[in-house]
Amino acid sequence: MNNKYTQSAPGLQSRLSGLMAAIGLAASAAVQAAPQAGVPALLQFAEQYQQQSKDAAPPVTKPAVKPADTGAKPPANKTASPQGNRSSRENAAAAALWQTKDAKIRHLQETIVQLEQQMSILEKKQTKTAPAPPQISIDTTALSRLVHGVRQALSPTPEETQVKERLRQTQQQISLAQTAEKNLRTENDRLKNQLAAMKTQNQASATEAHNTLTAQLQHVEQDKITLQTHLSEAQNRNQTLTAASENVKAQLARLKTAESELREIHTQTQTQLNELLLQRNTMQKELDEQVTAAANLKAELSDLRKVAPEKIQADRMKQPAVRQSYAAGVSLGEEVLQMHAERQKWGVKVDKQVLLTGLFDTFSGQRQLDDKALNQALADSEQQVTKARNNVMATQLKQDNAYLTRFKKDKQVKTTAAGAWYRIDYTGDAPIPTGATLDVVIKETLTDGTVIQDMDTNGAVLSQPLAQFPPLFADALKQLKNHGSLTLVVPPELAYGEKGYPPNIPPNATMVYQLRIAEMYPETQKKKGAPDTAAAPR
C-alpha cells in the first residue's frame, strides 16, 4: 500500500499537473481578462477563445452539391441575396465553433469527475492503510475555487442560450431548406419528366406539322406551277388579244376614214340627188312645155302645109342648087328657132304661127305692116327682150354666187392656176403614167342643177391623151389617179362668156362639170377600138 501510494503520489502529482495545465488553458481567458473590469467573463473568454480558434486549423466544410442543370428556371425563394449568404456562412461558422467548445467542455468535465473520483479513492485508501507518508500539501481550496470558477465560466449564459436557440432555429431552417430542396428536386425531376414528355410530344407534333407543311408546300408548288402555266397561257392570250385589238383599232380607224369618206360621198350624192330631182322637175316642166309646143307645132304644121310650098321631090333635091337653097333655108330656120327658144327661155312669148306668117309674107312680098310700124314693133320687141335678158342674167348671177359661196365653204375646195375651183371627190387608185390615154366621162350642168350634157347617160366617152384636153380640164385631171373623180366649177369668163350658148346656157353662166376617169391606158397599150379623135362636149 505504501509502495503503491508512494508510487501513485508522483503519478497523481503528474496528473494534477496536467489537470492544472488544462484548467489553466481553459481558464486562461478569465485569468488574462482579470484587468478588464466591467466586462463579462463569457465575453472575455469568448474573445480569447475565438483568438485561439483563429490560430487553429480552420474547420473542414463540405462543398455544396451543385444541382444538375435541368434547364428549368429555379424557384424564386431559392435565390438568396449576398447579405443572406453572408449570414448563413456566419451561422455555420458559429455552429461549428460552439460544437468544438461543447466537446472540449465535456472532455474537461469528464476529466474533473475522474480526478475527483480518484482523489476520493486515494483519500479513502490513505486513511485506512497507508502509513503516514510524507504529506503533499495540495491547496484543495484554491483548486475548488478554480473548479468552481471553471464551471461557472463554462456554464451557459443567457446570450449563449440565445445563440444556441438561434443555432437550433438555423438548423431547423436548414432542415426545412433541405426538405424544401428535396421537394424542389422532386418537383424538378417531375418537371424534367414533363419537359421530356413535352419535348417528345412537341417533337412528334413538330414532325407531324413538318410533314403537313411539306405536303402543303408540295401542293403549293404544284399550284404555283399550275398558276404559272395559266399565267403563261393568259399572257399568250393577252398578247394575241393585244395584237387583235391593235388590228381591230387599225381596222376601226380605216373604217372611220371610210365612213367619213362615205359620209362625204353620201352628202355629195344627196346633193347630187337633190340636184337631179331639181333637174328632173325642170326637165319634166320642159318636157311638158315641149309636149305642148309639139302639139302646137303639129297644129302649126298642119296650117303650114296648107300654105306651104309644095314638097321638094327627092330627084330634085339631088340638084346642087336646090340643095344649097334648101340648106340656106334650114340654117335660117334654125336661127329663127334658136331665137324663138332663147326668147322663150327669157320669158318673152313669141307666137310661132305669127312668126311664120311674117316669114311667108316677107317672101311673098305681102307685108301687112309698113316700115314705121315694123321698126316700132322691132324696137319694142328688142326692148322687151333686153329687159328679159337682163332679168335672166341677174337671176343667174345671184344663183351662181349662192352656189359658189356654198361650194367654197368645203375645206377640200382648191383653185386652179386659171382661176377655176375644184373639189376631188375620189382621188383614184393607181397613178397615171405620162402619155397615157384617158377615158373621161363629163357631166355639164348649170348651178341650179340643169343638165346641159351628160355623157354617162348618153353612153359617150371622151378618149384622148391628157395633153390634148383643154388646159382648164387638163389642170384638173392632173390631180386625179385612175378611176378618180372631181367637181369643177368654171366662172363665165372661162366658160361661155356674156353670150352664153343659146338656148340652154344663159349669158354669164357659171358652169359645173363633174369629171370622172373611167379608165386609163398606158402609152404602150392602145385602147382596142378607140377612135383616133374624139369630140369635146358642147
Side-chain angles (χ1 to χ4, degrees):
M1 291 295 290
N2 293 333
N3 293 334
K4 185 177 181 180
Y5 180 75
T6 304
Q7 293 175 356
S8 63
L12 178 61
Q13 187 176 2
S14 61
R15 294 186 69 178
L16 287 175
S17 299
L19 177 63
M20 291 297 291
I23 293 173
L25 180 63
S28 61
V31 173
Q32 293 176 4
Q36 299 180 4
V39 179
L42 178 62
L43 294 178
Q44 296 178 27
F45 176 78
E47 291 176 0
Q48 294 175 3
Y49 187 79
Q50 289 175 5
Q51 183 66 31
Q52 293 175 3
S53 65
K54 289 179 182 179
D55 297 335
V60 179
T61 58
K62 274 188 176 183
V65 179
K66 185 178 181 181
D69 187 7
T70 59
K73 186 177 181 182
N77 56 3
K78 292 187 72 176
T79 303
S81 62
Q83 184 177 1
N85 292 334
R86 185 167 59 254
S87 177
S88 300
R89 289 194 298 270
E90 291 177 355
N91 291 335
L97 180 63
W98 281 109
Q99 288 176 0
T100 304
K101 182 179 179 182
D102 288 340
K104 289 183 177 182
I105 290 173
R106 285 195 298 272
H107 178 67
L108 289 174
Q109 287 177 351
E110 291 175 357
T111 302
I112 291 171
V113 170
Q114 291 177 1
L115 288 173
E116 288 179 348
Q117 291 176 355
Q118 290 178 4
M119 287 178 67
S120 177
I121 294 170
L122 288 175
E123 288 176 355
K124 289 179 181 180
K125 286 180 179 183
Q126 184 179 6
T127 304
K128 292 179 180 180
T129 62
Q135 294 293 325
I136 300 174
S137 63
I138 298 174
D139 190 0
T140 57
T141 304
L143 182 61
S144 299
R145 285 198 303 270
L146 178 62
V147 171
H148 178 73
V150 170
R151 286 181 177 176
Q152 186 176 3
L154 295 177
S155 61
T157 63
E159 288 80 0
E160 291 177 346
T161 304
Q162 292 178 1
V163 171
K164 287 183 178 181
E165 181 64 22
R166 289 178 182 174
L167 288 174
R168 185 187 63 79
Q169 292 178 358
T170 301
Q171 291 176 353
Q172 185 178 1
Q173 291 177 358
I174 291 172
S175 178
L176 293 175
Q178 290 176 350
T179 303
E181 181 181 5
K182 183 178 180 181
N183 293 336
L184 288 174
R185 287 181 179 177
T186 304
E187 182 67 18
N188 189 21
D189 294 338
R190 185 180 65 81
L191 291 175
K192 284 182 179 180
N193 295 332
Q194 289 183 358
L195 181 61
M198 290 179 67
K199 284 183 178 179
T200 304
Q201 183 179 0
N202 290 338
Q203 187 174 5
S205 301
T207 303
E208 183 179 0
H210 176 71
N211 296 333
T212 303
L213 289 176
T214 303
Q216 292 179 355
L217 182 60
Q218 292 177 353
H219 290 306
V220 168
E221 290 293 333
Q222 293 177 356
D223 294 341
K224 180 180 178 182
I225 295 173
T226 304
L227 289 175
Q228 288 179 348
T229 304
H230 292 336
L231 178 61
S232 178
E233 294 176 353
Q235 288 177 348
N236 294 332
R237 288 197 297 269
N238 186 29
Q239 292 178 355
T240 304
L241 290 175
T242 302
S245 176
E246 294 297 330
N247 293 332
V248 169
K249 287 181 179 179
Q251 293 177 1
L252 182 60
R254 290 194 295 269
L255 287 175
K256 286 183 177 180
T257 304
E259 182 183 7
S260 178
E261 293 178 354
L262 287 175
R263 285 182 178 177
E264 292 178 0
I265 294 173
H266 175 71
T267 303
Q268 296 172 4
T269 304
Q270 189 66 32
T271 304
Q272 294 175 0
L273 181 60
N274 294 333
E275 293 176 356
L276 289 174
L277 289 175
L278 183 59
Q279 293 175 8
R280 177 180 176 278
N281 295 332
T282 304
M283 292 176 65
Q284 185 66 35
K285 183 179 179 182
E286 292 177 353
L287 180 61
D288 294 340
E289 292 177 354
Q290 290 177 3
V291 169
T292 304
N296 295 332
L297 286 174
K298 285 183 180 180
E300 292 175 359
L301 182 60
S302 177
D303 295 336
L304 285 173
R305 282 176 179 174
K306 295 178 181 179
V307 296
E310 60 181 343
K311 184 177 181 180
I312 300 175
Q313 298 298 324
D315 294 338
R316 189 181 177 191
M317 185 63 70
K318 293 179 181 180
Q319 298 175 9
V322 174
R323 292 170 65 88
Q324 294 172 5
S325 298
Y326 183 80
V330 170
S331 177
L332 181 60
E334 287 180 351
E335 291 180 2
V336 172
L337 288 176
Q338 182 177 349
M339 182 190 66
H340 178 267
E342 184 180 17
R343 294 191 177 187
Q344 288 287 109
K345 277 280 188 180
W346 295 344
V348 178
K349 293 183 178 181
V350 178
D351 190 341
K352 189 180 294 186
Q353 184 63 39
V354 175
L355 179 62
L356 290 175
T357 302
L359 287 173
F360 284 125
D361 290 347
T362 301
F363 278 102
S364 62
Q366 298 178 1
R367 293 189 303 179
Q368 299 181 22
L369 292 176
D370 56 10
D371 293 340
K372 183 179 180 180
L374 185 61
N375 291 333
Q376 184 64 41
L378 289 174
D380 294 341
S381 174
E382 187 66 24
Q383 184 179 2
Q384 184 180 4
V385 168
T386 302
K387 183 178 179 180
R389 183 174 181 272
N390 292 335
N391 291 335
V392 169
M393 290 175 62
T395 302
Q396 185 67 36
L397 180 61
K398 182 178 179 180
Q399 176 181 300
D400 293 346
N401 290 336
Y403 179 84
L404 280 173
T405 301
R406 293 195 304 271
F407 187 73
K408 290 179 181 179
K409 286 182 179 179
D410 193 336
K411 295 181 179 180
Q412 297 180 357
V413 173
K414 298 180 181 180
T415 306
T416 65
W421 302 276
Y422 71 93
R423 179 188 64 204
I424 297 177
D425 301 325
Y426 175 58
T427 305
D429 50 22
I432 298 175
T434 304
T437 299
L438 304 181
D439 284 353
V440 180
V441 177
I442 302 174
K443 180 179 180 181
E444 183 183 38
T445 63
L446 298 176
T447 56
D448 63 354
T450 301
V451 179
I452 306 302
Q453 189 71 264
D454 189 353
M455 298 177 66
D456 199 4
T457 303
N458 299 332
V461 176
L462 182 60
S463 182
Q464 60 187 19
L466 183 63
Q468 296 182 8
F469 281 88
L472 179 66
F473 292 91
D475 291 342
L477 290 173
K478 287 179 182 178
Q479 312 300 323
L480 299 179
K481 298 180 181 180
N482 191 24
H483 303 134
S485 62
L486 60 80
T487 301
L488 178 66
V489 180
V490 182
E493 58 271 17
L494 298 178
Y496 296 99
E498 294 182 357
K499 293 182 179 181
Y501 199 88
N504 295 325
I505 300 176
N508 288 328
T510 298
M511 302 305 297
V512 179
Y513 296 94
Q514 292 181 358
L515 287 76
R516 177 173 61 86
I517 300 177
E519 193 58 65
M520 70 91 182
Y521 302 93
E523 189 175 7
T524 57
Q525 178 185 357
K526 186 174 178 62
K527 179 181 177 183
K528 294 182 180 180
D532 293 336
T533 59
R538 293 180 60 190

